[in-house]
């Protein structure tokens, strides 16, 4: 990813990684609770991470989010 991984992005990746450990996608509400932000803010960030080059997450509205291989690598570096 050419964009610098800000502290906020690192936090999102870390929490998505933790929530995905059970093999299920992380929900927007779960992330919002963990990060203490509004669900709408989470949706905006997930769309941004999904649009990154390379994409860091696979986000499907109402179905949750999982990390891509690039996202998982970045999460493990945090």
């Amino acid at each position: 990813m050419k964009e610098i991984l800000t502290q906020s992005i690192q936090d999102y990746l870390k929490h998505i990684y933790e929530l995905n450990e059970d093999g299920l996608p992380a929900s927007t509400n779960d992330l919002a609770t963990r990060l203490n932000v509004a669900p709408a803010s989470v949706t905006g960030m997930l769309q941004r991470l999904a649009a990154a080059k390379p994409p860091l997450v696979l986000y499907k509205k109402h179905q949750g989010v999982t990390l891509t291989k690039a996202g998982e690598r970045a999460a493990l570096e945090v």
Side-chain angles (χ1 to χ4, degrees), residues 41-66:
S41 297
V42 172
T43 299
M45 178 61 88
L46 295 179
Q47 290 170 340
R48 181 174 158 203
L49 295 175
K53 301 292 184 214
L56 297 176
V57 300
L58 295 173
Y59 172 63
K60 295 181 182 168
K61 191 173 181 178
H62 304 296
Q63 294 182 25
V65 63
T66 56

Side-chain angles (χ1 to χ4, degrees), residues 2-78:
K2 294 184 192 274
E3 182 179 347
I4 293 178
L5 294 178
T6 64
Q7 183 64 48
S8 179
I9 291 172
Q10 290 176 11
D11 289 343
Y12 273 84
L13 294 176
K14 178 177 69 170
H15 288 294
I16 294 167
Y17 182 84
E18 291 170 355
L19 288 165
N20 285 169
E21 284 184 324
D22 61 5
L24 299 173
S27 75
T28 303
N29 287 332
D30 287 342
L31 284 168
T33 299
R34 281 185 173 226
L35 295 162
N36 199 30
V37 297
S41 297
V42 172
T43 299
M45 178 61 88
L46 295 179
Q47 290 170 340
R48 181 174 158 203
L49 295 175
K53 301 292 184 214
L56 297 176
V57 300
L58 295 173
Y59 172 63
K60 295 181 182 168
K61 191 173 181 178
H62 304 296
Q63 294 182 25
V65 63
T66 56
L67 294 172
T68 61
K69 292 292 182 193
E72 190 172 332
R73 243 187 333 271
L76 290 172
E77 290 174 5
V78 173

